[in-house]
C-alpha cells in the first residue's frame, strides 16, 4: 500500500498554535484542516509510549529533570500546557494510545518520529510498534521515522509492512544511500533549512518522496518545492500553504 502523503504535515501537532505533542495540538491541526501530523514518541520509565520531544522537562512542562526517570503516573501529574498559554493550563502529556484515539477520531494521518532517550533506541521503537500494530490499520496513513538507525532497524524487524522514513540530520551520514536501502525506507525526511539544491537533486535520484522539516517560511517552502521537495513539516501550516503548488 503506497503512502498517501499530503503537501503539509503539522509539526508536533501544530506547534505554533497549541502546546506541542499534546492532544490539544492534534485537535488544533484537525480544526485547521491539516491532514497529517508529526508527533515525537518516547517511553516512560515503566515502558509506556508517550508523546514528548525533549530529554528534559523544563521547556515544555511545569517540572524539571529527565523524562526517562519518571513513570507514567508521575508524568500524568505534570502540566504540559501552561508554558504555552493560559488557555492550555492543565494539558497533559498524552500516551501514544491516547493520541491514536484522537488521530482516528479526527481521521488524520501521522508521522510517528521515534525519539528515544539515549540507550533506549530499540525498546522505544518496540514499545511504540507494539501499540501501533494493535490499533493502527491504514498503512498508507502512517510513516515511522527516526534519526536513530537502530530504532528504524527495530521497526523493520518488527513491522516491515509499516512505512519508514529516513530522517536525516543537517549533516548527512556518508553512507546515507546504503543505510536507506538497508532500512527499506519509503521517504526521505530532511532538514529543509540547511539542505542544498544539490542534496535535494541527489535524493530525487532515489525516486521516493522528499519531506522537509521544519518549514515555517513560505519563501523557503517555495524554493524547496522548486528544487523537488514534495512535502513540508510546519508548525504553522496555514503560513506556508499560500504560494505552494498544492497538486499532488
Ligand atoms: O520529524 C521531523 C522533525 O520533527 C525532526 O526534528 O527535533 O523537531 O523532532 P525535531
Ligand atoms: Mg520531531
Amino acid at each position: 500500500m503506497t503512502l498517501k502523503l499530503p503537501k503539509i504535515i503539522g509539526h508536533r501537532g501544530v506547534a505554533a498554535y497549541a502546546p506541542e505533542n499534546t492532544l490539544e495540538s492534534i485537535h488544533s491541526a484537525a480544526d485547521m484542516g491539516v491532514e497529517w501530523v508529526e508527533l515525537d514518541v518516547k517511553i516512560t520509565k515503566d515502558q509506556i509510549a508517550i508523546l514528548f520531544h525533549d530529554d528534559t522537562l523544563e521547556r515544555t512542562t511545569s517540572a524539571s529533570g529527565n523524562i526517562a526517570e519518571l513513570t507514567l503516573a508521575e508524568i500524568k501529574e505534570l502540566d504540559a500546557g501552561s508554558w504555552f498559554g493560559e488557555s492550555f493550563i492543565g494539558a497533559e502529556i498524552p500516551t501514544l494510545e491516547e493520541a491514536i484515539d484522537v488521530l482516528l477520531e479526527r481521521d488524520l494521518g501521522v508521522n510517528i518520529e521515534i525519539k528515544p532517550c539515549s540507550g533506549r533506541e530499540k525498546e522505544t521503537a518496540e514499545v511504540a510498534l507494539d501499540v501501533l500494530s494493535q490499533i493502527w490499520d491504514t498503512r498508507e496513513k502512517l510513516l515511522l521515522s527516526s534519526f536513530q538507525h537502530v530504532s528504524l532497524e527495530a521497526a523493520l524487524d518488527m513491522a516491515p509492512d509499516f512505512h519508514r522514513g529516513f530522517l536525516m540530520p543537517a549533516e548527512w551520514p556518508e553512507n546515507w544511500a546504503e543505510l536507506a536501502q538497508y532500512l527499506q525506507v519509503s521517504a526521505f525526511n530532511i532538514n529543509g533549512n540547511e539542505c542544498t539544491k544539490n542534496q535535494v537533486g541527489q535524493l530525487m535520484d532515489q525516486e521516493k518522496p522528499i519531506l522537509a522539516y521544519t518549514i515555517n517560511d513560505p519563501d523557503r517552502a517555495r524554493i524547496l518545492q522548486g528544487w523537488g521537495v514534495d512535502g513540508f513539516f510546519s508548525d504553522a501550516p496555514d503560513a506556508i500553504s499560500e504560494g505552494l503548488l498544492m497538486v499532488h
Side-chain angles (χ1 to χ4, degrees):
M1 193 78 64
T2 41
L3 265 176
K4 275 204 191 132
L5 289 165
K7 281 269 171 288
I8 303 178
I9 298 175
H11 188 234
R12 309 181 193 173
V14 274
Y17 301 115
E20 62 183 57
N21 289 314
T22 61
L23 300 184
E24 289 77 357
S25 197
I26 301 173
H27 277 299
S28 297
D31 292 345
M32 289 175 69
V34 170
E35 293 167 68
W36 275 54
V37 290
E38 183 260 6
L39 302 168
D40 302 293
V41 170
K42 288 189 184 295
I43 50 173
T44 63
K45 185 180 176 189
D46 49 344
Q47 307 260 333
I48 310 293
I50 53 164
L51 304 191
F52 207 73
H53 181 275
D54 296 0
D55 286 345
T56 53
L57 300 164
E58 286 78 2
R59 186 177 61 87
T60 59
T61 77
S62 47
S64 61
N66 295 326
I67 186 120
E69 288 163 22
L70 299 185
T71 63
L72 181 63
E74 290 164 335
I75 283 168
K76 281 294 184 185
E77 296 294 314
L78 306 178
D79 181 329
S82 59
W83 70 276
F84 190 86
E86 256 180 42
S87 56
F88 293 102
I89 289 173
E92 290 180 8
I93 296 174
T95 62
L96 175 58
E97 209 170 326
E98 289 167 340
I100 292 172
D101 282 346
V102 175
L103 294 167
L104 294 175
E105 177 199 327
R106 304 300 306 260
D107 195 24
L108 292 168
V110 68
N111 172 206
I112 296 289
E113 183 189 340
I114 301 163
K115 196 104 179 155
C117 290
S118 176
R120 312 190 82 181
E121 291 79 6
K122 190 159 185 266
E123 56 189 320
T124 303
E126 287 174 350
V127 171
L129 277 160
D130 200 35
V131 174
L132 285 162
S133 309
Q134 287 178 47
I135 44 179
W136 194 274
D137 282 336
T138 42
R139 299 295 185 264
E140 69 271 25
K141 288 176 75 174
L142 170 66
L143 178 64
L144 301 166
S145 65
S146 187
F147 286 115
Q148 306 304 324
H149 306 144
V150 172
S151 301
L152 287 178
E153 190 181 33
L156 172 64
D157 282 349
M158 230 178 125
D161 57 325
F162 283 140
H163 290 284
R164 287 165 302 285
F166 195 54
L167 189 46
M168 313 255 266
E171 194 87 8
W172 290 15
E174 222 167 271
N175 58 344
W176 64 268
E178 286 86 352
L179 279 168
Q181 195 182 17
Y182 168 70
L183 295 165
Q184 298 171 38
V185 300
S186 307
F188 288 93
N189 303 7
I190 61 171
N191 184 319
N193 294 305
E194 303 286 337
C195 69
T196 62
K197 185 177 182 186
N198 178 280
Q199 286 180 316
V200 174
Q202 289 178 52
L203 288 182
M204 284 179 73
D205 294 342
Q206 303 276 324
E207 297 181 341
K208 297 191 194 297
I210 305 168
L211 307 172
Y213 67 90
T214 300
I215 304 300
N216 298 324
D217 172 2
D219 295 335
R220 183 66 181 171
R222 260 192 303 274
I223 290 169
L224 290 168
Q225 192 172 47
W227 291 352
V229 169
D230 300 291
F232 305 88
F233 296 95
S234 182
D235 298 320
D238 53 337
I240 67 158
S241 62
E242 214 176 294
L244 279 180
L245 292 170
M246 296 306 274
V247 264
H248 285 276

